[in-house]
Amino acid sequence: MDITIHYAFLPHTDADAALAFYRDTLGFEVRGDVGYNGMRWLTVGPPGQPDTSIVLHPPAVEPGITEDERRTILELIAKGSYAALTLATDDLDGLFDRLQATGADVVQEPTDQPYGVRDCAFRDPTGNLLRINQRG
């Protein structure tokens, strides 16, 4: 059986800030930018990997979400405890330096973890936690 990850979903609270971060800071390609009823869904992905994308979506707009639930979701997003994604790179220190130079929200500098991974962590403009592993 051949199964791949096609889309991952992360919420955004500011489409323009999300677009600037994922496109301009991380260097992802924009694969879609769809607006509907004043909301925006952005699809981005790493160059050279056309079958793997991240959909950045307006949070808590699904039917049936109460205003209290929406408020709770937005609070969790702001704390960085609602959604997370782990990326990988061949040059963790170089990418860290580039992200830090743009003013990205650093959570953890590159660290050799006791479980065998070297990684760092940032928050995107919405507050989503992005961990970045050193590949190999």
Side-chain angles (χ1 to χ4, degrees):
M1 184 182 318
D2 182 20
I3 298 176
T4 60
I5 296 172
H6 191 58
Y7 293 109
F9 289 78
L10 289 176
H12 75 73
T13 53
D14 180 332
D16 291 329
L19 183 60
F21 180 79
Y22 285 91
R23 181 193 59 206
D24 303 336
T25 302
L26 286 179
F28 284 2
E29 299 172 334
V30 177
R31 300 188 178 147
D33 187 341
V34 178
Y36 178 74
N37 282 344
M39 296 177 281
R40 245 169 113 188
W41 286 257
L42 303 164
T43 303
V44 298
Q49 298 180 47
D51 294 334
T52 303
S53 297
I54 300 167
V55 177
L56 304 165
H57 63 90
V61 296
E62 296 81 13
I65 298 282
T66 67
E67 195 51 44
D68 283 343
E69 291 167 333
R70 178 174 166 68
R71 189 171 31 261
T72 299
I73 289 168
L74 291 173
E75 289 170 0
L76 290 170
I77 290 169
K79 290 168 102 175
S81 56
Y82 184 77
L85 184 67
T86 301
L87 306 171
T89 183
D90 291 328
D91 182 11
L92 181 66
D93 294 307
L95 179 57
F96 177 84
D97 291 343
R98 193 176 96 218
L99 290 170
Q100 188 176 39
T102 68
D105 183 10
V106 175
V107 174
Q108 174 203 302
E109 294 187 3
T111 302
D112 292 319
Q113 301 293 352
Y115 43 86
V117 172
R118 180 170 173 77
D119 71 354
C120 66
F122 289 86
R123 292 197 199 286
D124 73 7
T126 295
N128 298 308
L129 181 65
L130 300 178
R131 298 199 73 80
I132 306 171
N133 290 355
Q134 174 70 46
R135 197 177 289 127

